[in-house]
Amino acid sequence: MKWMRTATSLALVVLLASSYVQAEAEKAAVEEKKAEPEAKPAEAAASEDTTKSKRGLHHYEDYHHHHVPHFPVHEEKTLTVIKKVPVPVPIEKIVHVPVEKHIHVPVKVKVPKPYPVVKHIPYEVKEIVKVPYEVPAPYPVEKKVHYPVHVHYDRPVPVKVHVPAPYPVEKKVHVPVKVHVPAPYPVEKVVHYNVEKHVHVDKPYPVEKVVHYPVKVPVEKPVPHYIDKPVPHYVDKPVAVPVIKKVPVPVHVPYDRPVPVHVEKPVPYEVKVHVPAPYPVIKEVPVKVEKHVPYPVKIPVEKPVHVHIEKHVPEYHEKHVSYKEPEFVHKHIEEDHHHAPIHHHHSHPIVEHEHEH
């Protein structure tokens, strides 16, 4: 917005200046046209005076007191237009330039030979600890032997299973079957009358006008005026929902009088089953017997062994080399005072050479 305001103000200033210059030019042209007829009789009178013969000095007074016509004086008016001309300003910019220093003496740098790198990795060490465990000897061992038990029952009842003959047999064959499905295609229906289509429009609805060009509005003091934009406000509307409420209603069902029905009830009776008598089974079980030994017993334990390895560390020593400082000759360049000095934006700073002592 600021850029647009400055542009419009500059355009107004240029228009005013051009209109003022044009008006002055027209005014000067009108004055010149008016002065032309007055100048012609003055030239004729001057020619008559030159043709007359000089008859003494008494004519000098007549000539001196002769009426001199008044000529309009043309005042030249100048319009000064001040233009800002950019003047080159020196700008210093520090640019770091690498300076290569050539040493004419070979310098030997000690490079250490490849050395082993020891990397300590912690690992777990298992220690076998023997704990005495009491085992009762001897102890009974029970072994479960699964044997078949035959139960005698009376009167086997035949059960008939209805099997339809013949009966359908379904066999599933996994074969891909291509079914032709017609693709949807557009159907154009010609309607010979206008069909009104209802479009839902919110009322009131916001109207936004997009203007792609600057509009000059003569405002003395622009005051910010905030306009509240409509915000969608949702209102909950109650919807009638049918609610089914269960009301218990006593229902009387007519039934006949109870009739006694004879139901057979099974009576339990004892069935003699031959069960073999248990008998003892002797099984030899090896038992560990700990014997006290009066001398120490060494148990092998995995322990890390320390190994000393020499590790080479590089050391740097300064070596002094004699070096002669170069002599610099500064040349004086004469500058031309008629031309303005040219300042480069990327001015290189003077880099002083550092020498080793």
Side-chain angles (χ1 to χ4, degrees):
M1 290 298 292
K2 290 182 179 179
W3 183 78
M4 293 293 292
R5 288 175 183 173
T6 53
T8 50
S9 60
L10 287 171
L12 288 171
V13 171
V14 171
L15 284 171
L16 290 170
S18 59
S19 61
Y20 183 75
V21 171
Q22 190 175 1
E24 290 293 333
E26 291 178 358
K27 188 176 180 181
V30 171
E31 288 181 356
E32 285 180 1
K33 286 181 182 179
K34 289 181 180 179
E36 283 180 0
E38 293 179 359
K40 286 181 181 179
E43 289 175 0
S47 62
E48 287 178 2
D49 291 339
T50 53
T51 51
K52 287 182 180 180
S53 60
K54 298 179 181 179
R55 297 178 182 178
L57 297 172
H58 59 277
H59 296 286
Y60 177 73
E61 294 177 359
D62 298 335
Y63 180 76
H64 183 70
H65 294 287
H66 186 71
H67 178 69
V68 179
H70 178 68
F71 294 99
V73 181
H74 298 285
E75 295 180 359
E76 294 183 357
K77 294 182 180 181
T78 58
L79 181 66
T80 57
V81 179
I82 299 170
K83 293 183 179 180
K84 293 182 179 180
V85 181
V87 181
V89 180
I91 298 172
E92 293 183 359
K93 183 180 180 182
I94 298 171
V95 181
H96 298 281
V97 180
V99 179
E100 295 181 358
K101 186 177 180 181
H102 298 282
I103 300 173
H104 303 286
V105 180
V107 179
K108 292 182 180 180
V109 181
K110 289 184 180 180
V111 179
K113 295 181 181 180
Y115 53 89
V117 178
V118 180
K119 185 177 182 183
H120 297 282
I121 301 174
Y123 57 92
E124 295 180 357
V125 179
K126 294 182 179 180
E127 293 185 2
I128 300 170
V129 181
K130 290 187 176 182
V131 180
Y133 178 69
E134 294 182 358
V135 179
Y139 59 93
V141 178
E142 295 179 359
K143 186 178 180 182
K144 293 181 180 181
V145 181
H146 300 280
Y147 52 88
V149 178
H150 299 281
V151 180
H152 179 73
Y153 64 94
D154 299 333
R155 292 182 183 182
V157 181
V159 178
K160 291 183 180 181
V161 180
H162 177 71
V163 179
Y167 58 90
V169 178
E170 294 181 0
K171 186 179 180 182
K172 293 183 180 180
V173 182
H174 299 281
V175 179
V177 181
K178 292 183 179 180
V179 181
H180 177 68
V181 179
Y185 57 92
V187 178
E188 295 181 358
K189 185 179 180 181
V190 181
V191 182
H192 298 283
Y193 55 89
N194 295 329
V195 179
E196 294 183 359
K197 189 176 181 180
H198 179 69
V199 181
H200 178 69
V201 180
D202 296 335
K203 295 180 182 180
Y205 60 93
V207 179
E208 295 182 1
K209 186 179 180 182
V210 182
V211 183
H212 296 283
Y213 53 89
V215 180
K216 296 178 183 179
V217 181
V219 181
E220 295 180 358
K221 289 183 180 180
V223 180
H225 181 65
Y226 300 100
I227 299 171
D228 297 335
K229 290 186 178 180
V231 181
H233 178 66
Y234 299 100
V235 181
D236 296 335
K237 293 183 179 180
V239 180
V241 180
V243 179
I244 299 170
K245 188 176 181 181
K246 294 182 180 180
V247 180
V249 179
V251 179
H252 298 282
V253 180
Y255 61 93
D256 299 334
R257 291 181 178 181
V259 179
V261 178
H262 179 69
V263 180
E264 294 181 355
K265 291 183 180 180
V267 178
Y269 61 93
E270 293 182 1
V271 178
K272 291 182 180 181
V273 180
H274 177 69
V275 179
Y279 56 92
V281 178
I282 298 169
K283 184 179 180 182
E284 294 181 358
V285 179
V287 181
K288 291 182 180 180
V289 179
E290 292 185 359
K291 187 178 180 181
H292 181 68
V293 182
Y295 55 88
V297 179
K298 292 184 179 180
I299 300 170
V301 180
E302 297 178 1
K303 291 184 178 180
V305 182
H306 297 282
V307 180
H308 296 280
I309 299 173
E310 294 182 358
K311 188 176 180 181
H312 299 276
V313 180
E315 293 183 1
Y316 299 97
H317 300 278
E318 294 182 358
K319 187 177 180 181
H320 300 284
V321 181
S322 60
Y323 181 73
K324 186 180 179 181
E325 296 183 0
E327 296 181 359
F328 296 96
V329 180
H330 298 280
K331 292 183 179 181
H332 181 68
I333 300 172
E334 295 182 358
E335 296 181 355
D336 192 359
H337 296 284
H338 298 286
H339 300 284
I342 299 171
H343 299 277
H344 297 282
H345 293 286
H346 302 284
S347 61
H348 298 283
I350 300 172
V351 180
E352 295 182 359
H353 296 276
E354 297 179 359
H355 306 289
E356 296 180 357
H357 298 286

